[in-house]
Each structure stands twice: as structure tokens, then as C-alpha cells.
């Protein structure tokens, strides 16, 4: 069964999500940005979501996590929780 590890940043607006993505692409540390800005409890661990399989996260997450290239920031991804930046750190198919 497929497994992935990922980290994310959750914010309320698409504009804030894009601002943070630009900062990360400019060299800012993903984990630091997550700790300072994410509204998800995972922010305490730099946005780390640990390991999970298909269907364990919301559909929008699954679509990105199980198809996006590794170690590349994806997003904004809109879910019922808000706007996310996602980074897949490993995947086994």
C-alpha cells in the first residue's frame, strides 16, 4: 500500500498562502514559516504530518500528495480547513 510523508502550512487566505510560498521559494525555511504562520497544530513540529496512506487525509490532500514531485512546495491547495502549502518529503508506491 502506498505511503507518504509530508508537511504543510495552513492559513486562512489564498493571498497569505501565496505570500508564504514566495518566501519559501526565496529561501525561507519551510519549518520556520510553518511554526510562525500555520494555524494547524502540526505547526509545532514545523508542519510535519508524519506518514499516512491514501484516504487518510482530505481528498484535495491525497490528490497532491500522491502525485506531486518530492521536496517541491505545492499550493495553494484549498480544503474545507483553509489554504495549504504542501511539501511531500517521501513516498512509497
Amino acid at each position: 500500500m502506498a505511503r507518504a510523508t509530508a508537511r504543510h502550512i495552513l492559513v486562512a487566505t489564498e493571498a497569505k498562502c501565496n505570500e508564504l510560498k514566495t518566501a519559501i521559494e526565496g529561501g525561507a525555511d519551510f519549518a520556520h514559516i510553518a511554526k510562525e504562520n500555520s494555524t494547524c497544530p502540526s505547526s509545532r513540529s514545523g508542519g510535519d504530518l508524519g506518514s499516512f496512506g491514501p484516504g487518510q487525509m482530505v481528498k484535495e490532500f491525497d490528490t497532491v500528495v500522491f502525485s506531486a514531485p518530492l521536496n517541491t512546495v505545492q499550493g495553494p491547495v484549498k480544503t474545507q480547513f483553509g489554504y495549504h502549502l504542501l511539501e511531500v518529503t517521501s513516498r512509497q508506491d
Side-chain angles (χ1 to χ4, degrees), residues 65-78:
V65 168
F66 291 98
S67 66
L70 296 181
N71 304 308
T72 304
V73 177
Q74 305 294 315
V77 175
K78 187 178 187 317

Side-chain angles (χ1 to χ4, degrees), residues 34-48:
K35 286 178 183 178
E36 296 291 316
N37 295 277
S38 183
T39 59
C40 180
S42 70
S43 66
R44 288 189 298 275
S45 59
D48 186 14

Side-chain angles (χ1 to χ4, degrees), residues 18-42:
N18 281 318
E19 174 189 322
L20 297 177
K21 184 176 184 180
T22 299
I24 292 165
E25 289 173 340
D29 180 63
F30 190 103
H32 178 76
I33 296 287
K35 286 178 183 178
E36 296 291 316
N37 295 277
S38 183
T39 59
C40 180
S42 70

